[in-house]
Amino acid sequence: MVLGGEQGADGTGRTLAGRDAAMDGALSALYGGSAGRGSTKDRGAGLGASAPSVARWLGDIRTYFPSSVVQVMQRDAIDRLGLSALLLEPEMLEAVEADVHLVGTLLSLNKAMPETTKETARAVVRKVVEDLEKRLATRTKATLTGALDRSARISRPRHRDIDWDRTIRANLKNYLPEYDTVVPDRLIGYGRAAQSVKKDVVLCIDQSGSMAASVVYASVFGAVLASMRSIATRLVVFDTAVVDLTDQLDDPVDVLFGTQLGGGTDINRALAYCQSQITRPADTVVVLISDLYEGGIRDEMLKRVAAMKASGVQFVALLALSDEGAPAYDHEHAAALSALGAPAFACTPDLFPEIMAAAIEKRALPIPDAG
């Protein structure tokens, strides 16, 4: 975007005033040639290295630009100007436009965060989490409840539990043309999935730095799944160590602050732990969310996946659970998983309920087009 400038080569050659000048200044502070150096020359005053100037700038961009643009500019400011340290300042956090990427940055700074900032940071994270739950929970529960019911069909259903579509198809041989009707001798019904635990779901999440957005979304989905009585949900995060956060699933904010983004990756160790927790393999779905850069024992990792699948576990490998598509990932490991019948692909949050429904029903996954 070019608004204007004092020099002909620096935009339109026209001097701006009022709101246009303020918008131009906010853009120049980030994208101008002097951005980040604290200079007051030319068009851009820069953001400098103080929390008050950043907080004022954050207020300006929220005034002049829509939320989607604000979030992009914030990410650019963190990346281009090295402002991560300023996220530790409460006054700056209060001014920020919260989104998934900001939450990821806050989580990566969690251990360095002073006590005076932690409550503000938790408030920012909670706002994002609550917004995501509102967006994702209803559709996820509806989709998975239907999948659970279909996966628990019974042969002597009560009238209200009859699956009429499958019942009619199963009894087409009993069609009576003179009466133009089908006489069913076998009824197929939905099970009453809400009465007991029907499926076990294990979310195994790579918490390396590149997976920040995936960790946020997976924690929210984990809390949604845990709220469903018919699904027993376990949430495991890992780097070179493995941490089981299942007992915190009632509050995804606690889950997120229990993670430590960054560090190495040992997928084999994480899968070994998950495998040890499986008691009903035929009724278990394991979802590995990772960029597959394995720092552990590659062959053992693949053997574990093969063993789980052979025992009846439905295994899903997601390179990312975010809106940004697949990050950089290990293509060799992805191909090896695909050869085992566990294709690895990136998944958007909106598609995740359909992926889980397909896994629960043991049908082909609706893998998005890589193009």
Side-chain angles (χ1 to χ4, degrees), residues 145 148 193-200 228-232:
T145 297
L148 289 162
Q195 292 181 348
S196 62
V197 173
K198 296 298 182 183
K199 292 290 179 179
D200 298 335
M228 301 177 65
R229 289 183 298 170
S230 49
I231 296 177

Side-chain angles (χ1 to χ4, degrees), residues 168-229:
I168 291 171
R169 280 186 287 160
N171 289 277
L172 287 176
K173 64 181 183 299
N174 299 325
Y175 176 68
L176 301 179
E178 63 271 27
Y179 295 104
D180 194 26
T181 190
V182 170
V183 178
D185 60 12
R186 183 166 68 94
L187 299 177
I188 299 174
Y190 300 125
R192 301 184 62 78
Q195 292 181 348
S196 62
V197 173
K198 296 298 182 183
K199 292 290 179 179
D200 298 335
V201 173
V202 181
L203 299 178
C204 186
I205 310 168
D206 182 345
Q207 57 178 349
S208 58
S210 62
M211 303 300 293
S214 297
V215 171
V216 176
Y217 280 117
S219 298
V220 172
F221 276 119
V224 173
L225 295 178
S227 71
M228 301 177 65
R229 289 183 298 170

Side-chain angles (χ1 to χ4, degrees), residues 13 60 71 76 87 94 105 112 122 158 177 182 184 206 208-209 268 273 288 291 323 326 339:
D60 287 344
Q71 292 172 6
D76 286 349
L87 291 173
E94 290 171 357
T105 301
R122 286 184 72 91
R158 287 179 284 188
V182 170
D206 182 345
S208 58
N268 178 56
Y273 176 80
L288 171 66
D291 55 15
D323 291 307

Side-chain angles (χ1 to χ4, degrees), residues 11-346:
T12 66
R14 299 181 61 181
T15 301
L16 301 175
R19 183 181 179 88
D20 287 342
M23 293 175 67
D24 189 54
L27 288 167
S28 297
L30 176 57
Y31 300 111
S34 61
R37 295 194 291 269
S39 171
T40 57
K41 296 180 182 179
D42 301 322
R43 292 169 55 203
L47 295 180
S50 68
S53 65
V54 175
R56 285 194 296 272
W57 178 78
L58 287 167
D60 287 344
I61 64 175
R62 291 175 70 183
T63 298
Y64 300 125
F65 302 101
S67 177
S68 58
V69 175
V70 168
Q71 292 172 6
V72 171
M73 293 178 73
Q74 286 177 171
R75 294 199 294 272
D76 286 349
I78 292 168
D79 294 337
R80 289 165 57 91
L81 307 179
L83 297 183
S84 294
L86 293 180
L87 291 173
L88 305 180
E89 299 290 341
E91 61 267 32
M92 200 285 287
L93 281 177
E94 290 171 357
V96 81
E97 183 78 24
D99 70 348
V100 169
H101 301 280
L102 177 64
V103 169
T105 301
L106 289 176
L107 296 178
S108 70
L109 298 170
N110 182 27
K111 300 303 181 184
M113 197 175 292
E115 291 299 324
T116 54
T117 306
K118 284 188 176 180
E119 285 307 309
T120 306
R122 286 184 72 91
V124 171
V125 173
R126 186 167 298 282
K127 179 180 184 302
V128 174
V129 166
E130 288 176 351
D131 288 346
L132 289 176
E133 283 186 305
K134 289 177 184 176
R135 167 188 157 192
L136 301 171
T138 300
R139 180 166 172 267
T140 299
K141 289 181 179 180
T143 301
L144 297 191
T145 297
L148 289 162
D149 285 346
R150 289 188 293 273
S151 70
R153 289 188 176 92
I154 55 179
S155 59
R156 298 182 62 184
R158 287 179 284 188
H159 185 271
R160 63 182 178 180
D161 294 329
I162 295 174
D163 181 343
W164 288 108
D165 182 61
R166 288 178 62 87
T167 294
I168 291 171
R169 280 186 287 160
N171 289 277
L172 287 176
K173 64 181 183 299
N174 299 325
Y175 176 68
L176 301 179
E178 63 271 27
Y179 295 104
D180 194 26
T181 190
V182 170
V183 178
D185 60 12
R186 183 166 68 94
L187 299 177
I188 299 174
Y190 300 125
R192 301 184 62 78
Q195 292 181 348
S196 62
V197 173
K198 296 298 182 183
K199 292 290 179 179
D200 298 335
V201 173
V202 181
L203 299 178
C204 186
I205 310 168
D206 182 345
Q207 57 178 349
S208 58
S210 62
M211 303 300 293
S214 297
V215 171
V216 176
Y217 280 117
S219 298
V220 172
F221 276 119
V224 173
L225 295 178
S227 71
M228 301 177 65
R229 289 183 298 170
S230 49
I231 296 177
T233 305
R234 183 172 296 276
L235 189 143
V236 176
V237 299
F238 68 93
D239 41 34
T240 53
V242 180
V243 180
D244 192 326
L245 297 175
T246 302
D247 61 351
Q248 299 179 38
L249 273 173
D250 59 332
D251 188 345
V253 176
D254 286 343
V255 169
L256 289 170
F257 277 94
T259 64
Q260 179 59 59
L261 290 172
T265 307
D266 192 337
I267 303 173
N268 178 56
R269 175 178 290 186
L271 291 181
Y273 176 80
C274 294
Q275 190 176 24
S276 73
Q277 302 301 305
I278 296 172
T279 58
R280 305 188 306 157
D283 293 313
T284 298
V285 178
V286 173
V287 182
L288 171 66
I289 304 174
S290 174
D291 55 15
L292 302 180
Y293 284 113
E294 171 64 314
I297 306 172
R298 174 187 184 274
D299 290 343
E300 287 298 315
M301 174 190 77
L302 296 174
K303 286 180 182 178
R304 291 193 189 281
V305 174
M308 282 190 276
K309 286 186 63 64
S311 69
V313 170
Q314 296 299 109
F315 191 92
V316 179
L318 300 181
L319 300 170
L321 177 56
S322 71
D323 291 307
E324 282 73 46
Y329 64 94
D330 190 306
H331 290 261
E332 182 179 350
H333 288 162
L337 286 174
S338 182
L340 293 174
F345 56 95

